[in-house]
Amino acid sequence: FFSGFRNYMIGTLVPFILNSPGGGLFINSCFAHCQSELQDDWNASGSPRIYNQTIAEAVGDWYFDRRISKKIDCAYPCDRTCHNQMN
């Protein structure tokens, strides 16, 4: 179910990803919402990463217009930076 939802969501976002000069995404494959509720988690050494970039770095790039920040991770369970991996 979750993999199907991920594929549908990313497919729906393709026009935004390809055509929007602004905005940002940080879509990782972690099955947990608690990774982004506290700013401290964004900067932690164990923060989830996409292409070796933390949530804080990606949001900072988007917010301060440093660069386009549209990061999408591989499908679960490939991301080893996720906390509480379900096996």
Side-chain angles (χ1 to χ4, degrees):
F1 173 80
F2 287 119
S3 294
F5 177 76
R6 176 191 183 276
N7 293 338
Y8 176 79
M9 180 179 70
I10 291 171
T12 302
L13 289 169
V14 166
F16 168 74
I17 294 165
L18 297 177
N19 302 316
S20 173
L25 300 168
F26 191 91
I27 301 173
N28 65 13
S29 63
C30 304
F31 280 173
H33 290 272
C34 59
Q35 66 193 356
S36 61
E37 68 184 353
L38 299 174
Q39 187 176 3
D40 290 344
D41 292 339
W42 292 19
N43 295 305
S45 61
S47 176
R49 296 173 179 268
I50 299 178
Y51 304 117
N52 205 32
Q53 188 174 44
T54 66
I55 298 168
E57 293 164 337
V59 170
D61 286 347
W62 162 75
Y63 185 80
F64 295 110
D65 290 323
R66 292 188 292 237
R67 65 187 60 86
I68 295 173
S69 185
K70 296 179 181 175
K71 306 283 191 246
I72 300 177
D73 204 357
C74 49
Y76 184 85
C78 70
D79 186 346
R80 296 296 170 213
T81 66
C82 295
H83 302 285
N84 303 318
Q85 288 272 345
M86 297 177 354
N87 294 324

